[in-house]
Amino acid sequence: MQTSVLVALVVGAVLGALAATGAWRLVVSARTAALAAERDVLRERVTDLETSTDHDRELAATLAPLSSALVRVEGQVRVLERDRVEQYARLGEQLEAVRTHGEALRVQTSALAGALRSPTARGAWGEVQLRRVIEHAGMLARVDFDTQVAGTTAAGDGVRPDVVVRLPGGKHVVVDAKAPLAAFLEASEESQDPARQAAAAAAHARALRAHVDALAAKEYWTAFDPSPELVVCFVPGEAFLAAACAADPALLEHAMARRVVLATPTTLLALLRTVALTWQSEALSGSARALFDLGRELYGRLGSLGGVTSKLGRSLHRAVEDYNALVGTMERRVLVSARRMRDLDVTDLDLETLAPVEVAPRPLTAAELIEAEHREALPPLHRDWPFVDETADPPTGGAVQEAG
């Protein structure tokens, strides 16, 4: 009984050991499989890490130039930012200077506008503008124009225009520079009321129209005769006339009907340039006339010179003939007897043989020079010496002897 139990125990122990060994083997096999799987996973991760490291290295090598470029860009951005700050500072200073200058200009403009409200200052400024335009046209004071010339009209009224421009032929053009500007300055002021500005512009147009009527009533052209029946009203700015014409479109037609020409600096410059061109044409015509008269006089004197020259040639020809006759007489009459004296041994000197002159004076062939021979007889003074100018001063005694 005990033996059976002991055997059973032994068999149970053996079976338990076998079962434990199998279980252990199963556990070891499972752990081995897990370790193998983990090993494979770790190997794959190592492979992936190596591949990722290679990619990172390649990416780093690729991005290295970009990194240096970014460093340079960052440096340039810092420089640009610094320059921007400096430029903004300078721009602020310049804006402040512009604001200061603008304020000073506004003050000076206000002062100028206030000064132009004075009729005396306004008239002086208009005269200065007129003189500048005339000088730009190339005219000279007291030669091409006169200022503040006193005159008397046909009605007996004394007038003193600002400028009198001289024209060829002793004619004149009167220019007046006293245009009204007070209403224009009021219309040009900053105002939020359009009706006020329109009223000021209309007042400016009415003032200019009244000034046109006043100039027409003075009749300047009767005081400076001969003169075109008109007077030039100089408006010292294009804007002044434009504002008046905008408010009164019939102003120009009214002025022309009243024999008044409204001229701005541009139109007056064109008018004066035309006058200067007329003076040049007049000077050229006078020079051409003087040249024509001089040519006719020179041609006439050439004819007189030809007559005297022909007379001198005939005298030379006669002198040559007389000389040749003298040589012939000496050869035939005198030298024959002289040679007989040598043959008689009275002297041993040889007589020189005289040769006749074979060259004759060249006759005149030019028609201008021989024309005088066919003219009527000249006065005694011109017959002896054709260069005597009856309009010139009488020559001195030495000059007469030298000419003879």
Side-chain angles (χ1 to χ4, degrees):
M1 184 73 178
Q2 293 179 352
T3 302
S4 299
V5 172
L6 181 63
V7 172
L9 291 172
V10 172
V11 172
V14 172
L15 291 174
L18 291 174
T21 301
W24 174 253
R25 286 179 178 177
L26 290 174
V27 172
V28 170
S29 297
R31 184 172 294 177
T32 302
L35 291 174
E38 186 177 358
R39 183 196 60 193
D40 295 337
V41 172
L42 291 175
R43 183 180 293 113
E44 292 177 359
R45 291 185 63 185
V46 168
T47 302
D48 293 339
L49 289 175
E50 290 178 352
T51 303
S52 178
T53 302
D54 293 339
H55 286 312
D56 291 342
R57 190 178 295 110
E58 292 176 359
L59 182 60
T62 304
L63 295 178
L66 182 59
S67 176
S68 60
L70 289 175
V71 171
R72 292 194 300 270
V73 170
E74 183 179 1
Q76 293 178 358
V77 168
R78 285 197 297 269
V79 173
L80 291 176
E81 182 66 18
R82 184 189 62 199
D83 295 343
R84 184 183 65 82
V85 172
E86 295 177 356
Q87 290 175 0
Y88 277 177
R90 289 197 297 268
L91 181 60
E93 295 175 357
Q94 293 178 359
L95 289 176
E96 181 64 22
V98 169
R99 188 191 66 80
T100 304
H101 293 164
E103 184 66 21
L105 181 61
R106 187 187 66 81
V107 173
Q108 293 176 1
T109 304
S110 300
L112 178 61
L116 289 179
R117 292 182 185 279
S118 171
T120 304
R122 188 166 59 246
W125 179 69
E127 292 177 3
V128 170
Q129 291 293 101
L130 175 59
R131 192 177 187 89
R132 289 184 59 190
V133 172
I134 295 176
E135 290 175 353
H136 279 299
M139 293 188 169
L140 300 176
R142 294 181 297 276
V143 176
D144 301 316
F145 68 95
D146 294 312
T147 59
Q148 302 297 329
V149 180
T152 304
T153 63
D157 299 329
V159 292
R160 186 184 293 270
D162 296 311
V163 170
V164 176
V165 180
R166 297 178 180 176
L167 300 179
K171 301 178 179 62
H172 308 85
V173 171
V174 180
V175 182
D176 184 87
K178 300 179 180 63
L181 302 178
F184 175 81
L185 295 176
E186 183 178 354
S188 301
E189 293 179 352
E190 295 183 0
S191 176
Q192 300 297 332
D193 188 3
R196 180 181 176 184
Q197 290 186 344
H204 172 59
R206 287 194 302 272
L208 192 55
R209 179 183 280 263
H211 183 64
V212 167
D213 294 335
L215 288 180
K218 290 183 179 181
E219 296 183 350
Y220 279 111
W221 51 87
T222 62
F224 301 95
D225 188 63
S227 172
E229 293 187 359
L230 57 86
V231 58
V232 179
C233 177
F234 176 66
V235 182
E238 309 287 341
F240 304 146
L241 183 58
C245 291
D248 186 2
L251 178 60
L252 290 178
E253 184 177 356
H254 174 74
M256 288 186 290
R258 299 285 290 168
R259 300 177 183 177
V260 177
V261 178
L262 294 174
T264 60
T266 303
T267 54
L268 182 61
L269 179 62
L271 174 63
L272 296 180
R273 287 281 188 182
T274 304
V275 173
L277 181 61
T278 305
W279 273 115
Q280 293 178 2
S281 301
E282 182 72 13
L284 289 177
S285 299
S287 300
R289 211 163 29 244
L291 183 61
F292 177 74
D293 296 338
L294 181 62
R296 292 184 59 182
E297 181 181 1
L298 178 61
Y299 190 85
R301 292 188 175 186
L302 282 176
S304 301
L305 176 63
V308 175
T309 305
S310 178
K311 181 178 179 181
L312 178 61
R314 290 193 298 270
S315 299
L316 289 176
H317 185 74
R318 189 181 311 110
V320 169
E321 291 179 348
D322 294 341
Y323 173 78
N324 292 337
L326 175 63
V327 170
T329 302
M330 290 185 67
E331 287 286 347
R332 293 190 305 270
R333 304 275 185 163
V334 178
L335 294 181
V336 173
S337 300
R339 290 191 185 97
R340 291 181 60 188
M341 294 177 65
R342 185 176 181 279
D343 294 339
L344 296 174
D345 295 331
V346 175
T347 180
D348 57 355
L349 297 178
D350 293 332
L351 295 176
E352 183 179 357
T353 302
L354 299 178
V357 177
E358 302 294 340
V359 179
R362 179 177 177 178
L364 296 178
T365 58
E368 294 83 1
L369 297 179
I370 63 177
E371 183 180 356
E373 297 182 3
H374 305 289
R375 296 177 184 175
E376 297 179 358
L378 294 174
L381 180 62
H382 292 277
R383 185 182 301 114
D384 295 337
W385 184 246
F387 294 97
V388 176
D389 191 352
E390 296 178 349
T391 61
D393 296 334
T396 60
V400 173
Q401 294 179 0
E402 184 177 358

